[in-house]
Coordinates of all heavy atoms in Angstrom, one line a residue:
S513 N 0.1 -4.9 10.3 CA 1.2 -5.4 11.1 C 1.3 -6.9 10.7 O 0.5 -7.5 10.1 CB 1.0 -5.3 12.6 OG 0.0 -6.1 13.0
S514 N 2.5 -7.5 11.1 CA 2.7 -8.9 10.8 C 1.6 -9.7 11.5 O 1.4 -10.9 11.0 CB 4.1 -9.3 11.3 OG 4.3 -9.0 12.7
S515 N 1.0 -9.3 12.6 CA 0.0 -10.0 13.2 C -1.4 -9.8 12.7 O -2.3 -10.5 13.1 CB 0.0 -9.8 14.8 OG -0.4 -8.4 15.0
G516 N -1.5 -8.9 11.8 CA -2.8 -8.6 11.1 C -3.6 -7.4 11.6 O -4.7 -7.2 11.2
S517 N -3.0 -6.7 12.6 CA -3.7 -5.5 13.1 C -3.6 -4.4 12.0 O -2.5 -4.2 11.3 CB -3.0 -5.0 14.4 OG -3.1 -6.0 15.4
T518 N -4.7 -3.7 11.8 CA -4.7 -2.7 10.8 C -5.1 -1.3 11.3 O -5.7 -1.1 12.4 CB -5.8 -3.1 9.7 OG1 -7.1 -3.1 10.4 CG2 -5.6 -4.4 9.2
N519 N -4.6 -0.3 10.5 CA -4.9 1.1 10.7 C -5.4 1.6 9.4 O -4.7 1.5 8.4 CB -3.7 1.9 11.3 CG -3.4 1.6 12.7 OD1 -4.3 1.6 13.5 ND2 -2.1 1.5 13.0
I520 N -6.6 2.2 9.4 CA -7.1 2.7 8.2 C -7.4 4.2 8.3 O -8.0 4.7 9.4 CB -8.5 2.0 7.9 CG1 -8.3 0.5 8.0 CG2 -9.0 2.4 6.5 CD1 -7.4 -0.1 6.9
A521 N -7.1 5.0 7.3 CA -7.4 6.4 7.3 C -8.8 6.7 7.3 O -9.6 5.9 6.7 CB -6.7 7.1 6.1
D522 N -9.2 7.7 8.0 CA -10.7 8.1 8.1 C -11.3 8.3 6.7 O -12.4 8.0 6.5 CB -10.9 9.3 9.0 CG -10.6 9.0 10.5 OD1 -10.6 7.8 10.9 OD2 -10.4 10.0 11.2
S523 N -10.5 8.8 5.9 CA -11.0 9.2 4.5 C -11.4 8.0 3.7 O -12.2 8.1 2.7 CB -10.0 10.0 3.8 OG -8.8 9.4 3.5
V524 N -10.9 6.8 4.0 CA -11.2 5.6 3.3 C -11.8 4.5 4.1 O -12.2 3.5 3.6 CB -9.9 5.1 2.5 CG1 -9.3 6.1 1.7 CG2 -8.9 4.6 3.6
K525 N -12.0 4.8 5.4 CA -12.6 3.8 6.3 C -13.9 3.4 5.8 O -14.8 4.3 5.5 CB -12.6 4.3 7.7 CG -12.8 3.2 8.8 CD -12.6 3.8 10.1 CE -11.2 4.2 10.4 NZ -11.0 4.8 11.7
G526 N -14.2 2.0 5.8 CA -15.5 1.5 5.3 C -15.5 1.3 3.8 O -16.4 0.6 3.4
R527 N -14.5 1.7 3.1 CA -14.4 1.5 1.6 C -13.2 0.7 1.3 O -13.3 -0.1 0.4 CB -14.4 2.8 0.9 CG -15.7 3.7 1.1 CD -15.6 4.9 0.2 NE -14.5 5.8 0.5 CZ -13.5 6.1 -0.4 NH1 -13.6 5.6 -1.6 NH2 -12.5 7.0 0.0
F528 N -12.1 0.9 2.0 CA -10.9 0.2 1.6 C -10.6 -0.9 2.7 O -10.8 -0.7 3.9 CB -9.7 1.1 1.6 CG -9.7 2.1 0.5 CD1 -10.8 2.3 -0.4 CD2 -8.6 2.9 0.2 CE1 -10.8 3.2 -1.4 CE2 -8.6 3.8 -0.9 CZ -9.7 4.0 -1.7
T529 N -10.0 -2.0 2.3 CA -9.6 -3.0 3.2 C -8.1 -3.4 2.8 O -7.9 -3.6 1.6 CB -10.5 -4.2 3.0 OG1 -11.8 -3.9 3.3 CG2 -10.0 -5.3 4.0
I530 N -7.3 -3.6 3.8 CA -6.0 -4.0 3.6 C -5.8 -5.4 4.2 O -6.3 -5.8 5.2 CB -4.9 -3.0 4.3 CG1 -3.5 -3.4 3.9 CG2 -5.1 -3.0 5.8 CD1 -2.4 -2.3 4.4
S531 N -5.0 -6.2 3.5 CA -4.7 -7.6 3.9 C -3.3 -7.9 3.4 O -2.7 -7.2 2.7 CB -5.7 -8.5 3.4 OG -5.7 -8.5 2.0
R532 N -2.8 -9.1 3.9 CA -1.5 -9.5 3.6 C -1.4 -11.0 3.5 O -2.2 -11.7 4.2 CB -0.4 -8.9 4.5 CG -0.5 -9.5 5.9 CD 0.4 -8.6 6.8 NE 1.8 -8.9 6.6 CZ 2.8 -8.2 7.2 NH1 2.5 -7.1 7.9 NH2 4.1 -8.5 6.9
D533 N -0.5 -11.6 2.7 CA -0.1 -12.9 2.6 C 1.3 -13.0 3.0 O 2.2 -12.6 2.3 CB -0.3 -13.4 1.2 CG 0.0 -14.9 1.0 OD1 0.7 -15.4 1.8 OD2 -0.6 -15.4 0.0
N534 N 1.5 -13.5 4.2 CA 2.9 -13.5 4.8 C 3.8 -14.5 4.0 O 5.0 -14.3 4.0 CB 2.8 -13.9 6.3 CG 2.2 -12.7 7.2 OD1 2.4 -11.5 6.8 ND2 1.6 -13.0 8.2
A535 N 3.2 -15.6 3.5 CA 4.0 -16.5 2.8 C 4.6 -15.9 1.5 O 5.7 -16.2 1.1 CB 3.2 -17.8 2.5
K536 N 3.8 -15.0 0.9 CA 4.3 -14.4 -0.3 C 4.9 -13.0 0.0 O 5.4 -12.4 -1.0 CB 3.1 -14.2 -1.4 CG 2.5 -15.5 -1.9 CD 1.5 -15.2 -2.9 CE 0.9 -16.5 -3.5 NZ -0.1 -16.2 -4.5
I537 N 4.8 -12.6 1.2 CA 5.3 -11.3 1.6 C 4.6 -10.2 0.7 O 5.4 -9.4 0.0 CB 6.9 -11.1 1.6 CG1 7.5 -12.4 2.1 CG2 7.2 -9.9 2.4 CD1 9.0 -12.3 2.0
T538 N 3.3 -10.3 0.6 CA 2.6 -9.4 -0.3 C 1.5 -8.8 0.5 O 0.8 -9.4 1.4 CB 1.9 -10.3 -1.4 OG1 3.0 -10.9 -2.2 CG2 1.1 -9.4 -2.3
V539 N 1.2 -7.5 0.2 CA 0.1 -6.7 0.9 C -0.8 -6.3 -0.2 O -0.4 -6.0 -1.4 CB 0.6 -5.5 1.6 CG1 1.4 -4.6 0.7 CG2 -0.4 -4.9 2.4
Y540 N -2.1 -6.3 0.1 CA -3.1 -6.0 -0.8 C -4.0 -4.8 -0.3 O -4.1 -4.6 0.9 CB -4.1 -7.1 -1.1 CG -3.4 -8.4 -1.5 CD1 -3.0 -9.4 -0.6 CD2 -3.1 -8.7 -2.8 CE1 -2.4 -10.5 -1.0 CE2 -2.5 -9.8 -3.3 CZ -2.1 -10.8 -2.3 OH -1.5 -11.9 -2.7
L541 N -4.6 -4.1 -1.2 CA -5.5 -2.9 -0.9 C -6.7 -3.1 -1.7 O -6.6 -2.8 -2.9 CB -4.9 -1.6 -1.0 CG -5.7 -0.4 -0.6 CD1 -5.9 -0.4 0.9 CD2 -5.1 0.9 -1.0
Q542 N -7.8 -3.6 -1.2 CA -9.1 -3.7 -1.8 C -9.7 -2.3 -1.8 O -10.1 -1.9 -0.6 CB -10.0 -4.7 -1.3 CG -11.3 -4.9 -2.0 CD -11.2 -5.3 -3.4 OE1 -10.4 -6.3 -3.7 NE2 -11.9 -4.7 -4.3
M543 N -9.9 -1.7 -2.9 CA -10.6 -0.3 -2.9 C -12.0 -0.3 -3.5 O -12.1 -0.5 -4.7 CB -9.6 0.6 -3.7 CG -8.2 0.6 -3.3 SD -7.0 1.3 -4.5 CE -7.5 3.0 -4.4
N544 N -13.0 -0.2 -2.8 CA -14.3 -0.2 -3.2 C -14.9 1.2 -3.2 O -14.4 2.1 -2.4 CB -15.1 -1.1 -2.3 CG -14.8 -2.6 -2.4 OD1 -14.3 -3.0 -3.4 ND2 -14.9 -3.3 -1.2
S545 N -16.0 1.3 -3.9 CA -16.7 2.7 -3.9 C -15.8 3.8 -4.2 O -15.8 4.8 -3.4 CB -17.5 2.8 -2.6 OG -18.4 1.8 -2.4
L546 N -14.9 3.7 -5.1 CA -14.0 4.7 -5.4 C -14.5 6.1 -5.7 O -15.7 6.1 -6.4 CB -13.0 4.3 -6.4 CG -11.9 3.2 -6.1 CD1 -11.4 2.5 -7.2 CD2 -10.9 3.9 -5.2
K547 N -13.9 7.1 -5.2 CA -14.4 8.4 -5.5 C -13.3 9.3 -6.2 O -12.1 8.9 -6.2 CB -14.6 9.2 -4.2 CG -15.6 8.5 -3.2 CD -15.6 9.3 -1.9 CE -16.6 8.6 -0.9 NZ -16.7 9.3 0.4
P548 N -13.6 10.3 -7.0 CA -12.6 11.1 -7.7 C -11.5 11.6 -6.7 O -10.4 11.8 -7.2 CB -13.5 12.3 -8.3 CG -14.8 11.7 -8.5 CD -15.0 10.7 -7.4
D549 N -11.8 11.8 -5.4 CA -10.9 12.3 -4.5 C -9.8 11.2 -4.2 O -8.8 11.6 -3.6 CB -11.6 12.8 -3.2 CG -12.2 14.1 -3.4 OD1 -11.9 14.8 -4.4 OD2 -13.0 14.5 -2.4
D550 N -10.1 10.0 -4.6 CA -9.1 9.0 -4.3 C -8.0 8.9 -5.4 O -7.1 8.2 -5.3 CB -9.8 7.6 -4.4 CG -10.8 7.4 -3.2 OD1 -10.4 7.8 -2.1 OD2 -11.9 6.8 -3.4
T551 N -8.2 9.8 -6.5 CA -7.2 9.8 -7.5 C -5.8 10.2 -6.9 O -5.8 11.3 -6.3 CB -7.6 10.8 -8.6 OG1 -8.8 10.3 -9.2 CG2 -6.5 10.9 -9.7
A552 N -4.8 9.4 -7.2 CA -3.5 9.6 -6.7 C -2.6 8.6 -7.1 O -3.0 7.5 -7.7 CB -3.5 9.7 -5.1
V553 N -1.2 8.7 -6.9 CA -0.3 7.7 -7.1 C -0.2 6.9 -5.7 O -0.1 7.6 -4.6 CB 1.0 8.2 -7.4 CG1 2.1 7.0 -7.5 CG2 1.1 8.9 -8.8
Y554 N -0.5 5.6 -5.7 CA -0.5 4.9 -4.5 C 0.9 4.1 -4.4 O 1.3 3.4 -5.3 CB -1.6 3.8 -4.6 CG -3.0 4.5 -4.3 CD1 -3.6 5.4 -5.2 CD2 -3.6 4.3 -3.0 CE1 -4.7 5.9 -4.9 CE2 -4.8 4.9 -2.8 CZ -5.4 5.7 -3.7 OH -6.6 6.3 -3.5
Y555 N 1.5 4.3 -3.2 CA 2.8 3.7 -3.0 C 2.7 2.6 -1.9 O 2.1 2.9 -0.9 CB 3.8 4.8 -2.4 CG 4.1 5.9 -3.5 CD1 3.3 7.1 -3.5 CD2 5.1 5.8 -4.4 CE1 3.5 8.1 -4.5 CE2 5.4 6.7 -5.3 CZ 4.6 7.9 -5.3 OH 4.9 8.8 -6.3
C556 N 3.4 1.6 -2.1 CA 3.5 0.5 -1.1 C 4.7 0.7 -0.2 O 5.8 1.3 -0.7 CB 3.7 -0.8 -1.8 SG 3.9 -2.2 -0.7
N557 N 4.6 0.4 1.0 CA 5.7 0.6 2.0 C 5.8 -0.7 2.9 O 4.8 -1.3 3.2 CB 5.4 1.8 3.0 CG 6.4 1.9 4.1 OD1 6.0 1.6 5.2 ND2 7.5 2.4 3.8
A558 N 7.0 -1.0 3.2 CA 7.4 -2.1 4.2 C 8.4 -1.7 5.1 O 9.5 -1.2 4.7 CB 7.8 -3.3 3.4
D559 N 8.1 -1.8 6.4 CA 9.1 -1.6 7.4 C 9.5 -2.9 8.1 O 8.7 -3.8 8.3 CB 8.5 -0.7 8.6 CG 8.2 0.7 8.1 OD1 8.9 1.2 7.2 OD2 7.4 1.4 8.7

Side-chain angles (χ1 to χ4, degrees):
S513 72
S514 58
S515 65
S517 297
T518 62
N519 286 313
I520 311 295
D522 289 340
S523 60
V524 303
K525 192 171 298 181
R527 299 187 297 118
F528 291 9
T529 302
I530 188 169
S531 61
R532 66 191 288 170
D533 183 336
N534 289 328
K536 295 183 177 181
I537 321 178
T538 300
V539 63
Y540 306 93
L541 185 68
Q542 180 66 46
M543 310 166 68
N544 297 327
S545 302
L546 283 162
K547 304 175 180 179
D549 285 348
D550 295 320
T551 296
V553 177
Y554 284 70
Y555 297 91
C556 178
N557 170 258
D559 291 333

